Amino acid sequence: MRIRVINPNTTAAMTALIEASAKLVAAPGTLVEGVNPTMGPASIESHYDEALAVPGLLAEIARGEAEGVEGYIIACFGDPGLDAARELARGPVIGIAEAAMQYASHLGRKFSVVTTLGRTAGRAWDLAERYGMERFCANVHACEIPVLELEDPKARKVIADACRDAVAADGSDAIVLGCAGMADLCEYLSDEVGVPVIDGVAAATLTVQSLVTMKLRKSGRGEFAAPLPKRYVGLLADFGIEEKEARV
Amino acid sequence: MRIRVINPNTTAAMTALIEASAKLVAAPGTLVEGVNPTMGPASIESHYDEALAVPGLLAEIARGEAEGVEGYIIACFGDPGLDAARELARGPVIGIAEAAMQYASHLGRKFSVVTTLGRTAGRAWDLAERYGMERFCANVHACEIPVLELEDPKARKVIADACRDAVAADGSDAIVLGCAGMADLCEYLSDEVGVPVIDGVAAATLTVQSLVTMKLRKSGRGEFAAPLPKRYVGLLADFGIEEKEARV
Amino acid sequence: MRIRVINPNTTAAMTALIEASAKLVAAPGTLVEGVNPTMGPASIESHYDEALAVPGLLAEIARGEAEGVEGYIIACFGDPGLDAARELARGPVIGIAEAAMQYASHLGRKFSVVTTLGRTAGRAWDLAERYGMERFCANVHACEIPVLELEDPKARKVIADACRDAVAADGSDAIVLGCAGMADLCEYLSDEVGVPVIDGVAAATLTVQSLVTMKLRKSGRGEFAAPLPKRYVGLLADFGIEEKEARV
Amino acid sequence: MRIRVINPNTTAAMTALIEASAKLVAAPGTLVEGVNPTMGPASIESHYDEALAVPGLLAEIARGEAEGVEGYIIACFGDPGLDAARELARGPVIGIAEAAMQYASHLGRKFSVVTTLGRTAGRAWDLAERYGMERFCANVHACEIPVLELEDPKARKVIADACRDAVAADGSDAIVLGCAGMADLCEYLSDEVGVPVIDGVAAATLTVQSLVTMKLRKSGRGEFAAPLPKRYVGLLADFGIEEKEARV
Amino acid sequence: MRIRVINPNTTAAMTALIEASAKLVAAPGTLVEGVNPTMGPASIESHYDEALAVPGLLAEIARGEAEGVEGYIIACFGDPGLDAARELARGPVIGIAEAAMQYASHLGRKFSVVTTLGRTAGRAWDLAERYGMERFCANVHACEIPVLELEDPKARKVIADACRDAVAADGSDAIVLGCAGMADLCEYLSDEVGVPVIDGVAAATLTVQSLVTMKLRKSGRGEFAAPLPKRYVGLLADFGIEEKEARV
Amino acid sequence: MRIRVINPNTTAAMTALIEASAKLVAAPGTLVEGVNPTMGPASIESHYDEALAVPGLLAEIARGEAEGVEGYIIACFGDPGLDAARELARGPVIGIAEAAMQYASHLGRKFSVVTTLGRTAGRAWDLAERYGMERFCANVHACEIPVLELEDPKARKVIADACRDAVAADGSDAIVLGCAGMADLCEYLSDEVGVPVIDGVAAATLTVQSLVTMKLRKSGRGEFAAPLPKRYVGLLADFGIEEKEARV
């Protein structure tokens, strides 16, 4: 089984961290590859960044399809481009917010999300609603550390404090990490905070692996069928799908 | 007052049609300009098309900001890129689905949406939920006419039939047109079907005009503050916002 | 275009203030008239007051219909009698809570309502739910100033403080003013508080103007068709609609 | 115990029918009196009729308070004026839609409402939502018989057919009768249709009797405290509550 | 009329207290009997306890059916086994949470639940949702007194304080007591706290009495029809329903 | 890793079928054991059956805990006893409805459930709501085949027809099998129906395996902490948890 973890930003160090987290949980027979787009923002911290990360992400999906990849993880907590990626891929595509929230829902009544910047909290709520997870989400807390500063040694203590405060304020049963860049902190935070801590990269990797094991692909009918062949112009001309290559 | 109607696809004929519909309802003192991006798909009929229409749309918003535009209409019923555009613009940005559904909510208990392809119905429901309009939306009906074939003389009769069927099946009080390309059919359909028919291009134009009249801009705090300065690479390198040009 | 702003209470000074606010935003070609009923309470601060303001309000709608008025604003934040008024009128009827909340929904993720007495907060929540705006409403805050004391010079500072507190407590993006009697404070509060402040009188005036511009009337079918002819007795005998005058 | 069933329309024959239905279920020690207002519409079949039935209904509540009545039933399926009546009364006030839906929720997963005119279905849905009963309400069906023609001998068969059709279409477990004027048909319909049939007049009478037995009154704090003293003018001048008579 | 109040735990002293509370409100012609199972936990304070209280509860329902009992109250605030009991019984079965919340919904906009241990709050929320009462439930508060220590003289003051705190924190209009073992404190707490206090034992007794008065039984179709005949083995072999005794 | 699939009914043939389905998807290092209780019903087709299957299920959980089992699957589509089992177990406990619905939510906009008897559809809807999956569930369809007759060779065709009808009626993207006894039909149905078909036994097995891989256990705080030590009497006396053995 061959699955691909796509870091939708263009920072290679973060891709490496994400790939390592995914590999840690994958089964022996599962080949996990971490990739990132060749175009787009260095980190994703706004709707604007998300929107502009998507073309590069979709190019990675298209490349994966050509290379026979069986499933994809979108490793950014905003799950950018998920619907479009599902149209393009034959196998499953899972976002890390989607997977983390759903696994967290099995562990108790409520989870708290601890994320990077406060301005991304609205997006987390939108996703919780979309995935039916709003009823399990006690609240979304920001530690106000930018994505690319998460690796600063001082960051982990700030995040641990934010997790502890979240559990105390929300009376929640678990913490969902609100950024792929926190993936390597999962065990540390779990020990520090004393409740289950869910990293979406691991969660989504296992979800994709499970779906491929069950031979489950996205439905090819209607909304998520392959995009229609169409002419694209300008900078994005190469994204157009020619009649001849259109899949049904 | 200067407002801009952005057709997010790259088909100039459709931009002209949209601009005409917007001008028809704008007040004398309102300058309405129709534009479309220089990059992206010729029409938008999937999540994939939507995702790839957004960079071009955002480039138009950035250009508008440089030129002193006071408000924007996103003239595609999927309201693509709305959140990102709101971060970028200082004045209001309104989607045509958003405006059409809200005006329709004033006219009775329920409206029916009549749209182009069935595969876009899911997106219409997502937007109805997002805008709080799910409770007013009786159902979404497709007439299975591609966007670029709406101007075919035979199309208007098919659409009129779809509207009549929708009203009968849903017991609805009004029809919301599910595509900017139907803007010029509004009066014809209203006469044919006998219930109010709402065109989102007109509705969104008047919403923007009203907001600018009231001097209301998007809130500059938190989630919709201007995007953070950041490095963008590859094809989209020009979308990066430099430190020096960052707005607060 | 001729539209009428109905202050549903019987205090003429407040009618004048409301009319002025409406005229400030109306387009040049729009004739705006402020009126109030000749029967009912001097101010509306309870469900009881609301219920008893409605007959006078409906008499004003009936008079407006006889005089060719094309649209109506109900200028009290409880939007009293909205459904009944819609049955009676041929053109659009819009409540100020309805319009204010919907315009506020375009400006950010959440708004806070700042209203007069705490006992009216429940009604504001009921309306937010009815209009699909509950998801945008962060909270409803009272400044405990009776409607008829809003013009007291000391009131504006109390209200400004309540707005500031609301934004801080709710993390909201905008303020919706919860009383027609606050219409003239909109600009002052916006400057003081630093977020967009929405006055429902202006918002509803522009909504009605927009609907009339689009030639959109309430749906004449089913629930909002004209009331059936019927015998009324006692004090309200004149409200009966005779067979001969029944509209379809 | 002394409770009063208020038929909010001015048709005495219907008041008698309602009073009889209420007396049939009341406990021996409970004095049940049926009354109707001296002003307002002969029947209630629109939002307009409802709005204009309320002043007369409130006058009856005020009279009941002066006479020591301990609880009230509003015997019209639109539950008109419920909030205002609750402010005015010291004891409980219950609407027949409220009581019928809640009792029906104990009998199975879903109930169907069978009502008079289709134009009133929207109001039934609004009430179902307000009372938390939307999840139990499978659908609302109209038999298109005006309220004042329910006593026609042919009507009962039409209603029985509507009930049977409703159960078959909705797979529902029970029928809620959507009009006080159907109260005397409850046993007949139950026999004909073979599922439990709930009459709101009986249901609300028993709810009020139960609340009075438990010594439960409406909360006197906040929203439902007695209306504030206030000047009323014109036709409704007598509805004003003077300072001196204001209750806390 | 003969109705039975089942205390689902096996503590006889609590059964006596519950029976007394039920008898206090029942009408003269209503025979109320308090019973408890002969198997199961001494008190119910977890999902585990609830699950294991149910077989004994169902045995009591089966015994009641054999003895001609016309209706049942499940006198534990978790309403354990309600669906299963409804399948087994011909008459109505009502849980005390169900009845208390619904009566509370008539008294104001919101109620607060005051319960025993914090770990049971989740169950209270689940029930509020199930009964459509979530919109009326402001919050659930625990006083952290175990069920079997409620009779301790010191407990009543702790509970009164919890009620007062709940009303202050939630701005609620009424208190719902979250344990059958608090039934005898209802009047005391109402006096102490100054808002209506609802005891579910009284509320459910009156609901059952009302339903039996209206001759309303659970629907015998579909989901709540009698359980199918089936072989049961092991410790619970006697719970199997033989073909010959199966009811339709 | 050692996980246990519990068939909560007492039919050994069905346990074998379920165990085989679970083993088919488990990773090489995962030891999967199928078990069933020694007490309770031969099949589960009502709330009554479910309630009485739970004690035996809990006994299996207790036995598993003593034997060092790391996670559990409850292999009945009603997910009976899930909350109680979670209190008792240290590792994850997953129901097959829970897992099947969540995996199905990744594959498209909507799924249809195809289940055995129509009387169980209400339970499926309750679970969909509880897990946040109501928004993905298009409808629940019954093929009216009792659980123990699913292995009849004629059954599979009936089920395939029900799946096809469900997809056509609902426009759904995937089928969720509504009974553990259908686990072996998954591939056949997928081929026949042409949309993804999800078997909850496989789905829950992989969910538990994933959670154990991530070292995620249920939260030990509050609601899902181990049950309190307590005296149990009668038939269920052995279920009591003694003070000395109580876990924290």
Side-chain angles (χ1 to χ4, degrees):
Chain A
M1 186 190 313
R2 187 180 182 193
I3 66 182
R4 200 159 274 181
V5 187
I6 308 176
N7 168 22
N9 76 32
T10 50
T11 299
M14 197 161 149
T15 309
L17 177 159
I18 287 168
E19 186 186 51
S21 297
K23 283 184 162 160
L24 218 60
V25 295
T30 304
L31 173 62
V32 175
E33 298 161 305
V35 300
N36 62 249
T38 58
M39 61 197 275
S43 66
I44 299 177
E45 293 167 328
S46 65
H47 299 293
Y48 182 81
D49 296 344
E50 254 191 41
L52 291 164
V54 170
L57 169 81
L58 294 176
E60 285 305 312
I61 300 275
R63 185 164 70 89
E65 289 299 287
E67 296 172 9
V69 172
E70 288 165 272
Y72 304 87
I73 289 94
I74 300 181
C76 166
F77 202 76
D79 294 358
L82 183 59
D83 282 332
R86 279 191 182 153
E87 288 176 333
L88 212 52
R90 277 161 302 202
V93 185
I94 302 293
I96 65 168
E98 183 182 22
M101 290 184 191
Q102 290 202 348
Y103 279 119
S105 77
H106 305 311
L107 305 177
R109 181 163 291 271
K110 296 271 186 185
F111 58 78
S112 302
V113 175
V114 173
T115 189
T116 54
L117 303 189
R119 66 180 294 158
T120 68
R123 177 70 182 166
W125 277 113
D126 283 347
L127 293 178
E129 180 179 44
R130 176 191 163 152
Y131 302 136
M133 294 295 113
E134 206 174 11
R135 56 191 289 123
F136 298 103
C137 184
N139 211 348
V140 179
H141 302 259
C143 56
E144 300 300 353
I145 301 173
V147 172
L148 298 183
E149 296 175 23
L150 287 169
E151 294 310 293
D152 184 311
K154 275 173 286 186
R156 56 164 54 198
K157 200 188 156 317
V158 175
I159 300 169
D161 288 345
C163 291
R164 256 187 302 262
D165 291 351
V167 168
D170 301 345
S172 54
D173 299 301
I175 292 287
V176 164
L177 298 178
C179 181
M182 297 175 178
D184 59 337
L185 302 177
C186 194
E187 195 171 345
Y188 161 76
L189 292 171
S190 186
D191 289 347
E192 284 290 310
V193 183
V195 300
V197 178
I198 296 100
D199 157 41
V201 176
T205 301
L206 289 167
T207 301
V208 168
Q209 182 182 278
S210 296
L211 288 165
V212 175
T213 298
M214 288 187 282
K215 301 192 179 65
L216 291 172
R217 296 174 164 195
K218 70 101 188 273
S219 181
R221 310 168 66 238
E223 183 173 353
F224 294 102
L228 298 170
K230 195 159 292 182
R231 195 168 48 86
Y232 279 66
V233 299
L235 217 55
L236 298 173
D238 287 349
F239 282 86
I241 296 171
E242 296 299 317
E243 290 281 352
K244 64 175 160 26
E245 49 174 339
R247 275 198 317 277
V248 188
Chain B
M1 185 190 314
R2 186 181 184 193
I3 67 182
R4 200 159 275 182
V5 188
I6 309 176
N7 168 22
N9 76 32
T10 50
T11 299
M14 197 161 149
T15 309
L17 177 159
I18 287 167
E19 187 186 50
S21 297
K23 284 183 163 162
L24 218 61
V25 295
T30 304
L31 173 61
V32 175
E33 297 162 305
V35 300
N36 61 250
T38 58
M39 60 196 278
S43 66
I44 299 176
E45 293 167 326
S46 65
H47 298 294
Y48 182 81
D49 297 345
E50 253 189 43
L52 291 165
V54 170
L57 169 82
L58 295 175
E60 285 304 312
I61 301 275
R63 184 164 69 90
E65 289 300 286
E67 295 172 9
V69 172
E70 289 165 272
Y72 305 86
I73 289 94
I74 300 182
C76 166
F77 202 76
D79 292 0
L82 183 59
D83 282 333
R86 279 191 182 151
E87 288 176 335
L88 212 52
R90 277 161 302 202
V93 185
I94 302 293
I96 63 168
E98 183 182 23
M101 290 183 190
Q102 290 202 348
Y103 279 118
S105 78
H106 305 311
L107 305 177
R109 182 162 290 269
K110 296 271 185 183
F111 58 78
S112 303
V113 176
V114 172
T115 189
T116 53
L117 303 189
R119 67 180 293 159
T120 68
R123 177 70 181 166
W125 277 113
D126 282 348
L127 293 178
E129 181 178 43
R130 177 194 163 153
Y131 303 136
M133 294 294 113
E134 207 175 10
R135 55 191 290 123
F136 297 104
C137 184
N139 211 348
V140 180
H141 303 257
C143 55
E144 300 300 352
I145 300 174
V147 171
L148 298 183
E149 296 176 21
L150 286 170
E151 294 310 293
D152 184 310
K154 277 173 285 184
R156 57 163 54 196
K157 198 185 158 319
V158 175
I159 300 170
D161 288 344
C163 291
R164 256 187 302 261
D165 291 352
V167 168
D170 301 346
S172 54
D173 299 303
I175 292 287
V176 165
L177 296 179
C179 180
M182 296 175 179
D184 58 339
L185 302 177
C186 194
E187 195 171 345
Y188 161 76
L189 291 171
S190 187
D191 290 347
E192 285 289 310
V193 183
V195 301
V197 177
I198 297 99
D199 157 42
V201 176
T205 301
L206 289 167
T207 302
V208 168
Q209 182 182 279
S210 296
L211 288 164
V212 175
T213 298
M214 288 186 284
K215 300 191 180 65
L216 291 172
R217 295 174 165 197
K218 70 101 188 270
S219 181
R221 310 169 65 237
E223 183 174 353
F224 295 101
L228 297 170
K230 194 159 292 182
R231 195 167 49 85
Y232 279 66
V233 299
L235 216 55
L236 298 172
D238 287 350
F239 283 86
I241 296 170
E242 296 299 317
E243 289 281 354
K244 64 177 162 21
E245 48 174 338
R247 276 198 315 277
V248 188
Chain C
M1 187 190 313
R2 186 180 182 193
I3 66 182
R4 201 160 273 181
V5 188
I6 308 176
N7 167 22
N9 75 32
T10 50
T11 299
M14 197 162 150
T15 308
L17 177 159
I18 288 168
E19 187 187 51
S21 296
K23 283 183 164 161
L24 218 60
V25 294
T30 303
L31 173 62
V32 175
E33 298 161 305
V35 298
N36 62 250
T38 58
M39 61 197 275
S43 66
I44 299 177
E45 294 167 325
S46 65
H47 298 293
Y48 181 81
D49 297 345
E50 254 190 42
L52 291 165
V54 171
L57 169 82
L58 294 176
E60 285 305 311
I61 300 276
R63 184 164 71 91
E65 289 299 286
E67 296 173 8
V69 172
E70 288 165 273
Y72 304 87
I73 290 93
I74 300 181
C76 166
F77 202 76
D79 293 359
L82 184 60
D83 282 331
R86 277 189 184 156
E87 289 176 333
L88 212 52
R90 278 160 301 203
V93 185
I94 302 295
I96 65 170
E98 183 182 23
M101 291 183 190
Q102 290 202 347
Y103 279 117
S105 78
H106 305 311
L107 305 177
R109 181 163 292 271
K110 296 271 186 183
F111 58 79
S112 302
V113 176
V114 173
T115 189
T116 53
L117 303 189
R119 66 180 294 160
T120 68
R123 177 71 182 166
W125 277 113
D126 282 347
L127 294 178
E129 181 179 44
R130 176 192 163 151
Y131 303 136
M133 294 295 113
E134 206 173 11
R135 56 191 289 126
F136 297 104
C137 183
N139 211 348
V140 180
H141 303 259
C143 55
E144 301 300 352
I145 300 173
V147 172
L148 298 183
E149 295 176 21
L150 287 170
E151 294 311 293
D152 184 311
K154 276 173 284 185
R156 56 163 53 200
K157 198 185 159 317
V158 176
I159 300 170
D161 288 345
C163 292
R164 256 187 302 261
D165 292 352
V167 168
D170 301 345
S172 54
D173 300 301
I175 292 286
V176 164
L177 297 179
C179 180
M182 297 174 177
D184 59 338
L185 302 177
C186 193
E187 195 171 346
Y188 162 75
L189 292 171
S190 186
D191 290 347
E192 285 289 309
V193 184
V195 300
V197 177
I198 296 100
D199 157 41
V201 176
T205 301
L206 289 166
T207 301
V208 168
Q209 182 182 278
S210 296
L211 287 165
V212 175
T213 298
M214 288 187 282
K215 301 192 179 63
L216 290 173
R217 294 174 165 196
K218 68 103 187 273
S219 181
R221 309 169 67 237
E223 183 173 352
F224 293 103
L228 297 170
K230 195 159 291 182
R231 195 168 49 84
Y232 279 65
V233 299
L235 217 55
L236 298 173
D238 287 350
F239 282 85
I241 295 171
E242 297 299 318
E243 291 281 352
K244 65 176 160 26
E245 50 175 339
R247 275 197 318 276
V248 189
Chain D
M1 186 190 314
R2 187 180 183 193
I3 66 181
R4 201 160 274 183
V5 188
I6 308 177
N7 168 22
N9 75 32
T10 49
T11 300
M14 197 161 148
T15 308
L17 178 159
I18 287 167
E19 187 186 49
S21 297
K23 283 183 163 162
L24 217 60
V25 295
T30 304
L31 173 62
V32 175
E33 298 162 306
V35 299
N36 61 251
T38 58
M39 60 197 277
S43 67
I44 300 177
E45 294 167 327
S46 66
H47 298 293
Y48 181 81
D49 296 344
E50 254 190 41
L52 291 165
V54 171
L57 169 81
L58 295 175
E60 285 304 311
I61 300 276
R63 185 164 69 90
E65 289 300 286
E67 296 171 9
V69 172
E70 288 165 272
Y72 304 87
I73 290 94
I74 301 182
C76 166
F77 202 76
D79 293 0
L82 184 59
D83 282 333
R86 278 192 181 152
E87 289 177 333
L88 211 53
R90 278 161 300 204
V93 185
I94 302 294
I96 64 169
E98 184 181 23
M101 290 183 189
Q102 290 202 349
Y103 279 118
S105 78
H106 304 312
L107 304 178
R109 182 162 290 270
K110 295 270 186 185
F111 59 78
S112 303
V113 176
V114 172
T115 189
T116 54
L117 304 189
R119 67 180 294 159
T120 68
R123 177 69 181 167
W125 277 113
D126 282 347
L127 293 178
E129 181 179 43
R130 178 193 162 151
Y131 302 136
M133 294 294 113
E134 206 174 12
R135 55 191 289 123
F136 297 104
C137 184
N139 211 348
V140 180
H141 302 258
C143 54
E144 301 300 352
I145 299 174
V147 171
L148 297 183
E149 296 176 21
L150 286 170
E151 294 310 293
D152 184 311
K154 277 173 283 185
R156 57 164 53 199
K157 199 186 157 318
V158 175
I159 299 169
D161 288 345
C163 291
R164 256 187 302 262
D165 291 351
V167 168
D170 301 346
S172 55
D173 299 303
I175 292 287
V176 165
L177 297 179
C179 180
M182 295 175 178
D184 58 339
L185 302 178
C186 194
E187 195 171 346
Y188 161 76
L189 291 171
S190 186
D191 289 346
E192 285 288 311
V193 183
V195 300
V197 177
I198 296 98
D199 157 42
V201 176
T205 300
L206 289 166
T207 301
V208 168
Q209 182 182 278
S210 295
L211 288 164
V212 175
T213 298
M214 288 186 283
K215 302 191 179 67
L216 290 172
R217 295 174 165 197
K218 69 101 188 271
S219 181
R221 311 169 64 237
E223 184 174 353
F224 294 101
L228 298 170
K230 195 160 290 184
R231 195 167 48 85
Y232 279 64
V233 299
L235 217 55
L236 299 173
D238 287 350
F239 283 86
I241 296 170
E242 298 298 317
E243 289 281 354
K244 64 177 160 27
E245 49 174 337
R247 277 198 315 277
V248 189
Chain E
M1 186 189 314
R2 186 178 182 194
I3 66 182
R4 201 161 272 182
V5 187
I6 308 176
N7 167 22
N9 76 32
T10 49
T11 299
M14 197 161 148
T15 309
L17 178 158
I18 288 167
E19 186 186 50
S21 296
K23 284 183 163 160
L24 218 60
V25 295
T30 304
L31 172 63
V32 175
E33 298 162 305
V35 299
N36 63 248
T38 57
M39 61 196 276
S43 66
I44 300 177
E45 294 168 326
S46 66
H47 298 294
Y48 182 80
D49 297 345
E50 253 191 43
L52 290 164
V54 171
L57 169 81
L58 294 176
E60 286 304 311
I61 300 274
R63 184 163 70 90
E65 289 299 286
E67 295 172 8
V69 172
E70 288 165 273
Y72 304 87
I73 290 93
I74 300 181
C76 167
F77 202 76
D79 294 358
L82 183 59
D83 282 332
R86 277 191 182 153
E87 288 177 333
L88 212 52
R90 277 160 301 201
V93 185
I94 302 294
I96 65 169
E98 183 181 24
M101 291 183 190
Q102 290 202 349
Y103 279 118
S105 78
H106 304 311
L107 305 177
R109 181 162 291 271
K110 297 271 187 184
F111 58 79
S112 302
V113 175
V114 173
T115 189
T116 53
L117 303 189
R119 66 180 294 158
T120 68
R123 177 70 182 166
W125 277 113
D126 283 346
L127 293 178
E129 180 179 43
R130 179 196 160 148
Y131 303 136
M133 294 295 112
E134 206 174 11
R135 56 191 289 123
F136 298 103
C137 184
N139 211 348
V140 180
H141 303 258
C143 54
E144 300 301 351
I145 299 173
V147 171
L148 298 183
E149 296 175 21
L150 287 169
E151 295 310 294
D152 185 311
K154 276 173 283 184
R156 58 165 51 200
K157 199 187 158 317
V158 176
I159 299 169
D161 288 345
C163 291
R164 256 187 302 262
D165 292 352
V167 168
D170 301 346
S172 54
D173 299 301
I175 292 287
V176 164
L177 297 179
C179 180
M182 297 174 178
D184 59 338
L185 302 177
C186 194
E187 195 170 346
Y188 162 76
L189 292 170
S190 186
D191 289 347
E192 285 290 310
V193 183
V195 300
V197 177
I198 295 100
D199 156 42
V201 176
T205 300
L206 289 167
T207 301
V208 168
Q209 181 181 279
S210 296
L211 288 165
V212 174
T213 298
M214 288 187 283
K215 301 192 178 65
L216 290 172
R217 295 172 164 197
K218 71 102 187 273
S219 181
R221 311 169 66 237
E223 183 172 352
F224 293 102
L228 297 170
K230 195 159 291 182
R231 195 166 49 85
Y232 278 66
V233 300
L235 218 53
L236 297 173
D238 288 349
F239 283 85
I241 295 171
E242 296 299 317
E243 290 281 353
K244 65 175 159 28
E245 50 174 340
R247 274 198 318 278
V248 189
Chain F
M1 186 190 314
R2 186 180 184 194
I3 67 182
R4 200 158 275 182
V5 187
I6 308 177
N7 167 22
N9 75 33
T10 49
T11 300
M14 198 160 147
T15 309
L17 178 159
I18 288 168
E19 187 186 49
S21 297
K23 283 183 163 161
L24 216 61
V25 295
T30 304
L31 173 62
V32 176
E33 297 161 306
V35 299
N36 62 250
T38 58
M39 61 196 278
S43 67
I44 299 177
E45 293 166 328
S46 65
H47 298 293
Y48 182 81
D49 296 345
E50 255 190 40
L52 290 165
V54 171
L57 169 82
L58 294 175
E60 285 304 312
I61 301 275
R63 185 163 70 90
E65 289 299 286
E67 296 172 9
V69 172
E70 288 166 273
Y72 304 87
I73 290 94
I74 300 182
C76 167
F77 202 76
D79 293 0
L82 183 60
D83 282 332
R86 278 192 182 151
E87 289 177 334
L88 211 52
R90 277 161 300 204
V93 185
I94 302 293
I96 64 169
E98 183 181 22
M101 290 183 190
Q102 290 202 349
Y103 279 118
S105 77
H106 304 311
L107 305 177
R109 182 163 290 270
K110 296 270 185 183
F111 58 78
S112 302
V113 175
V114 173
T115 189
T116 53
L117 303 189
R119 67 180 294 159
T120 68
R123 177 71 182 166
W125 277 113
D126 283 347
L127 294 177
E129 181 178 44
R130 178 193 161 151
Y131 303 136
M133 293 295 115
E134 206 174 11
R135 55 191 290 123
F136 297 104
C137 184
N139 210 348
V140 180
H141 302 259
C143 55
E144 301 300 353
I145 299 174
V147 171
L148 297 184
E149 295 176 22
L150 287 169
E151 293 312 292
D152 184 313
K154 276 172 286 185
R156 57 163 54 197
K157 200 187 157 315
V158 175
I159 300 169
D161 288 345
C163 292
R164 256 187 303 261
D165 291 352
V167 168
D170 300 347
S172 55
D173 298 303
I175 292 287
V176 165
L177 297 178
C179 181
M182 296 176 179
D184 58 339
L185 301 178
C186 194
E187 196 171 346
Y188 161 76
L189 292 171
S190 187
D191 289 347
E192 285 288 312
V193 183
V195 302
V197 177
I198 296 98
D199 157 42
V201 176
T205 300
L206 289 166
T207 302
V208 168
Q209 182 182 278
S210 296
L211 288 165
V212 175
T213 298
M214 288 186 283
K215 301 191 179 67
L216 291 172
R217 296 173 165 197
K218 69 102 188 270
S219 181
R221 311 170 65 237
E223 182 173 353
F224 294 102
L228 298 170
K230 194 159 293 182
R231 194 167 50 86
Y232 279 65
V233 300
L235 216 56
L236 299 172
D238 287 349
F239 282 85
I241 295 170
E242 297 298 318
E243 290 281 354
K244 64 176 161 25
E245 50 175 337
R247 277 198 315 277
V248 188

